[in-house]
Amino acid sequence: MDFTVLTIFPEMVEAYFSEGMIRKAVDAEIVSAAAINIRDFANGKHRITDDKLYGGGCGMVMKPEPLAGAITAAKRKTPESRVVYLTPQGRPFDQAVAQELSEAEGLIFVCGRYEGIDERICQQYIDDEISIGDYVLTGGELAAMVVVDAVVRLIPGVLGGEDSAEKETFSKGLVEHAQYTRPPSFNDLDVPAVLLSGNHAAIEQWRLETSLIRTFLKRPDLLEDRDFRKEEKKILREWCQKIEKIIAD
Ligand code: 4HQ
């Protein structure tokens, strides 16, 4: 996978590329990651990348020529790359979109500032528009980093990339089970005994149970269209029965 981020603030993105899992993946040559400064493709003494809105109105828009130059330069490296524009108008980013993007040869992220980019860039150069959520950022850089971060960990060979994808088929679509580490007692709160029992079947059962109940309490929306597995239905029915017993008179 080849990640390229087009931005007028390349240092922002380079800082992210230089730490953690993405850094390790680059060092192992499983992915490449680079930021390209859009300003390098701007003409004139001042290398201006933005301009006033045609038709009037406040705010600035990113000029098309520097963006076209930067995208063309990025495509020369990996011609198969998908060009992604980060915008609140895009399709909502989620784990399924991350999975889809992780299968691409390369991803080129266009980061807009100000009020966005000239419409003709969207028409001629952009393959995909993605939103990381319904709120307004000051630029696409953080959104691009969010997308890269979610995608890189799914790439085969990247630390945890294979087995975590496997693990997630099991509890996919549910929130994480409760997690504990040492010490066994902290501020008068004990680690659940089952986790210290060494009984792996019981531990897996407990994890599925806490995962399901926590999803019901914290993110009930995730259960709305779920195809429950047999053991999941059993757990939920047992909770229903517990509740029925409490309210029975
Ligand atoms: N912006 N998801 C405006 C976002 C955004 C989002 C990026 C702000 C583009 C021009 N991007 N610029 N939400 O708010 O992706």
Side-chain angles (χ1 to χ4, degrees), residues 216-246:
F216 175 70
L217 293 175
K218 298 182 189 213
R219 291 294 308 278
D221 57 299
L222 295 179
L223 299 179
E224 221 111 281
D225 293 309
R226 186 175 180 79
D227 280 321
F228 292 99
R229 290 157 52 234
K230 249 187 37 223
E231 44 272 68
E232 293 171 356
K233 287 187 181 172
K234 185 161 176 275
I235 289 166
L236 290 173
R237 286 209 183 90
E238 282 165 7
W239 275 85
C240 286
Q241 283 162 8
K242 280 188 220 175
I243 293 165
E244 289 285 5
K245 232 169 108 183
I246 291 167

Side-chain angles (χ1 to χ4, degrees), residues 65-78:
E65 306 95 319
L67 286 167
I71 295 167
T72 304
K75 276 225 165 176
R76 265 200 293 278
K77 261 197 307 174
T78 318

Side-chain angles (χ1 to χ4, degrees), residues 112-224:
R113 287 265 148 184
Y114 325 109
E115 308 312 306
I117 67 177
D118 188 284
E119 183 64 20
R120 292 163 292 185
I121 294 297
C122 299
Q123 290 175 324
Q124 286 193 326
Y125 293 87
I126 303 297
D127 300 317
D128 206 352
E129 295 188 357
I130 289 177
S131 167
I132 64 158
D134 292 340
Y135 38 77
V136 183
L137 304 170
T138 59
E141 287 79 7
L142 286 167
M145 290 189 263
V146 164
V147 173
V148 171
D149 205 76
V151 168
V152 74
R153 59 181 290 284
L154 298 176
I155 294 168
V158 175
L159 198 69
E162 297 112 316
D163 65 83
S164 76
E166 221 173 286
K167 189 191 139 199
E168 273 159 18
T169 56
F170 198 66
S171 53
K172 204 171 132 189
L174 300 177
V175 306
E176 274 291 349
H177 56 73
Q179 303 185 117
Y180 296 89
T181 187
R182 288 183 289 184
S185 187
F186 174 75
N187 287 358
D188 290 328
L189 295 174
D190 293 343
V191 173
V194 63
L195 298 179
L196 310 174
S197 71
N199 181 342
H200 291 290
I203 290 168
E204 274 319 302
Q205 183 64 23
W206 179 88
R207 286 183 172 164
L208 178 60
E209 186 164 338
T210 58
S211 178
L212 265 171
I213 293 308
R214 286 153 64 93
T215 307
F216 175 70
L217 293 175
K218 298 182 189 213
R219 291 294 308 278
D221 57 299
L222 295 179
L223 299 179
E224 221 111 281

